[in-house]
């Protein structure tokens, strides 16, 4: 294993730059903590971008908005930048609302907010291991192209989505198999013709098809 090139100390270390990690880092920085965000990819947004995991769901339930705060602030910033129509009623019935977004606009929006709050960001940085003493996590080791770095802090936040840091630090966990899905994007689609076809052939779909006023086409079971 390469030797540690240098050590750095922060108040809070967040590992994982998806929506959860970004929100955690922003909240930490706004609270006055010297915060670093560690992300293995070259952008913020995590699986929402890398795996095309959208639209977002869960902001509302039975007509009531449950998620506000930084998450909703991000949605409003996306709307202002033309990167999201905001929260829309979900015609498929899977959830109360859906929140579609433009992946590239999300990348830049998350980065802008993090930089505005003076969050230090390490892109292309891979978590390697956790160092602990008795019951306390003292530091983590990450790998960057220039070498390995040891990050120490008073607080560590595991936002990896897989509990990678917590597990390596000795936390107990349950493991289960998760389902998989395949997502892809298509260009030059005649959405009007597709909508008309879906409405004429509802037996080929598992839910009603509809077009929102902002051009968001919703199909279920396609």
């Amino acid at each position: 294993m390469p030797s540690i090139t240098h050590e750095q100390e922060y108040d809070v270390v967040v590992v994982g730059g998806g929506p959860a990690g970004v929100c955690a880092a922003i909240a930490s920085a706004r609270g006055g903590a010297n915060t670093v965000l560690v992300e293995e990819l070259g952008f913020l947004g995590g699986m929402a971008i890398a795996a095309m995991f959208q639209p977002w769901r869960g902001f509302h339930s039975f007509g009531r908005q449950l998620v506000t705060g930084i998450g909703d602030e991000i949605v409003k910033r996306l709307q202002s930048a033309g990167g999201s129509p905001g929260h829309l009623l979900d015609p498929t019935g899977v959830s109360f609302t859906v929140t579609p977004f433009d992946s590239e606009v999300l990348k830049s929006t998350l980065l802008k907010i993090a930089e505005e709050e003076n969050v230090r960001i390490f892109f292309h940085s891979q978590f390697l291991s956790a160092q602990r003493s008795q019951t306390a996590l003292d530091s983590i080791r990450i790998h960057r192209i220039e070498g390995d770095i040891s990050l120490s802090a008073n607080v560590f936040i595991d936002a990896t989505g897989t509990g990678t840091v917590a597990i390596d630090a000795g936390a107990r966990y349950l493991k289960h198999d998760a389902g998989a899905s395949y997502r892809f994007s298509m260009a030059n689609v005649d959405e009007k013709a597709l909508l008309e076809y879906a409405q004429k052939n509802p037996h080929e779909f598992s839910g009603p098809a509809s077009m929102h006023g902002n051009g968001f086409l919703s199909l279920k079971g396609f």
Side-chain angles (χ1 to χ4, degrees):
M1 181 178 290
S3 60
I4 294 178
T5 56
H6 59 282
E7 300 179 359
Q8 296 184 15
E9 183 175 351
Y10 296 88
D11 296 324
V12 177
V13 172
V14 181
V15 183
V22 173
C23 288
I26 292 171
S28 171
R30 286 179 176 175
N34 183 18
T35 305
V36 63
L37 177 58
V38 179
E39 170 54 44
E40 65 179 354
L41 299 176
F43 51 83
L44 299 178
M47 292 300 99
I49 294 174
M52 302 174 67
F53 197 78
Q54 71 155 305
W56 286 328
R57 286 184 162 91
F59 278 87
H60 298 78
S61 179
F62 298 104
R64 179 184 178 188
Q65 184 162 352
L66 302 180
V67 179
T68 55
I70 297 174
D72 204 44
E73 176 186 337
I74 292 171
V75 174
K76 289 182 172 60
R77 291 282 290 264
L78 284 170
Q79 288 181 271
S80 297
S84 174
H87 307 302
L88 308 174
L89 289 177
D90 184 2
T92 68
V94 174
S95 58
F96 192 81
T97 61
V98 292
T99 312
F101 55 86
D102 182 294
S103 295
E104 293 304 315
V105 179
L106 177 61
K107 283 183 186 179
S108 59
T109 298
L110 293 179
L111 182 59
K112 286 179 182 178
I113 299 176
E115 290 179 338
E116 288 169 2
E117 302 300 335
N118 296 315
V119 174
R120 177 77 182 275
I121 304 174
F122 284 161
F123 286 122
H124 302 295
S125 301
Q126 182 181 11
F127 168 79
L128 295 179
S129 61
Q131 288 73 49
R132 53 179 290 184
S133 59
Q134 297 181 347
T135 59
L137 179 57
D138 297 323
S139 64
I140 64 170
R141 183 171 181 154
I142 65 172
H143 176 71
R144 291 171 56 81
I145 192 169
E146 65 268 26
D148 290 0
I149 301 175
S150 176
L151 302 176
S152 59
N154 297 319
V155 175
F156 294 87
I157 298 176
D158 185 340
T160 60
T162 53
T164 304
V165 178
I167 291 171
D168 197 70
R172 299 177 62 188
Y173 65 97
L174 295 175
K175 183 178 180 180
H176 66 89
D177 294 328
S181 62
Y182 182 75
R183 295 170 182 261
F184 59 93
S185 62
M186 298 179 66
N188 300 318
V189 175
D190 188 333
E191 295 182 349
K192 182 179 179 181
L194 178 57
L195 176 62
E196 291 177 353
Y197 179 87
Q199 292 174 335
K200 291 179 181 179
N201 301 275
H203 59 282
E204 296 187 20
F205 300 84
S206 59
S210 62
M211 176 75 80
H212 294 271
N214 47 39
F216 176 60
L217 176 62
S218 177
L219 291 176
K220 183 180 179 183
F222 177 64

